[in-house]
């Protein structure tokens, strides 16, 4: 079976985040910030964003649980994670570099949108990296503004993006 055919048949499951996911999700975040985003950000910027020295597993785990996070798994291995608030704000969405281009982010976004819609959110919003912008645009998000947050004294660039939450056609009357 070809690699692309194998990717198409990979089962991606989404489940709620548990405290046992803290180490794997933190590792995914750091790898995504320092490896995946390295094509769009400088070494200084990726190091400031990842902020490895300031991260500890307990704080990370508490923050993930507080955001109502969820994980995507492939063969029971955490491949990515995300979250969405009741108002539709996606704070984080990251995929492990080795699982890129296998539908993980798409599956996470579908799950986030379903949860936001169920909560009554009218739109999905996110602050999106340069790297993630094309992905979000493919799924109907539009840039509402360019932003320049400063992390550890280093200026980054990201984009405030939004997408209206529209009821799926199968549910509309």
């Amino acid at each position: 079976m070809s690699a692309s055919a194998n990717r198409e048949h990979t089962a991606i499951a989404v489940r709620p985040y548990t405290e046992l996911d803290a180490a794997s999700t933190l590792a995914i975040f750091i790898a995504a910030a320092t490896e995946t985003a390295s094509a769009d950000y400088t070494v200084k910027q990726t190091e400031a964003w990842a902020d490895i020295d300031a991260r500890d597993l307990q704080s990370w785990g508490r923050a993930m649980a507080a955001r109502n996070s969820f994980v995507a798994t492939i063969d029971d291995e955490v491949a990515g994670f995300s979250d969405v608030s009741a108002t539709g704000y996606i704070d984080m969405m990251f995929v492990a570099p080795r699982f890129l281009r296998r539908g993980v982010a798409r599956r996470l976004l579908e799950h986030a949108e379903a949860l936001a819609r169920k909560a009554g959110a009218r739109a999905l919003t996110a602050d999106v990296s340069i790297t993630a912008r094309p992905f979000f645009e493919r799924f109907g998000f539009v840039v509402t503004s360019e932003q320049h947050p400063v992390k550890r004294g280093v200026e980054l660039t990201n984009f405030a993006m939004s997408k209206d939450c529209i009821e799926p056609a199968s549910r509309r009357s």
Side-chain angles (χ1 to χ4, degrees):
M1 182 182 293
S2 74
S4 63
N6 186 35
R7 287 180 185 156
E8 291 172 16
H9 299 300
T10 302
I12 300 168
V14 177
R15 63 168 174 75
Y17 170 88
T18 71
E19 64 184 40
L20 298 176
D21 298 318
S24 58
T25 56
L26 179 56
I28 288 169
F29 167 75
I30 290 169
T34 60
E35 296 171 36
T36 307
S38 67
D40 299 306
Y41 294 94
T42 67
V43 170
K44 257 186 143 164
Q45 288 173 316
T46 60
E47 287 174 352
W49 184 9
D51 202 7
I52 296 170
D53 295 334
R55 307 242 179 234
D56 72 88
L57 214 45
Q58 284 187 326
S59 297
W60 175 266
R62 281 193 303 274
M64 290 289 290
R67 281 194 308 275
N68 224 4
S69 301
F70 45 91
V71 298
T73 61
I74 295 177
D75 296 329
D76 295 322
E77 182 179 348
V78 178
F81 67 93
S82 190
D83 56 64
V84 66
S85 72
T87 61
Y89 180 69
I90 298 169
D91 187 45
M92 298 183 118
M93 180 180 290
F94 292 96
V95 175
R98 73 186 209 89
F99 288 109
L100 291 174
R101 306 209 186 297
R102 292 173 79 174
V104 175
R106 182 186 73 239
R107 186 72 184 88
L108 288 167
L109 185 57
E110 290 168 349
H111 189 75
E113 188 166 3
L115 291 175
R117 196 179 293 118
K118 185 176 179 182
R122 295 178 187 230
L124 288 175
T125 59
D127 295 322
V128 175
S129 69
I130 295 168
T131 309
R133 179 181 170 177
F135 167 81
F136 279 86
E137 287 176 330
R138 271 195 310 278
F139 289 93
F141 281 75
V142 296
V143 173
T144 57
S145 67
E146 181 173 318
Q147 305 175 124
H148 298 279
V150 176
K151 303 275 187 190
R152 290 182 42 205
V154 179
E155 184 177 289
L156 304 172
T157 298
N158 69 18
F159 304 92
M161 298 186 78
S162 68
K163 173 187 177 181
D164 289 339
C165 280
I166 301 170
E167 194 69 20
S170 62
R171 292 189 176 180
R172 282 185 259 156
S173 1

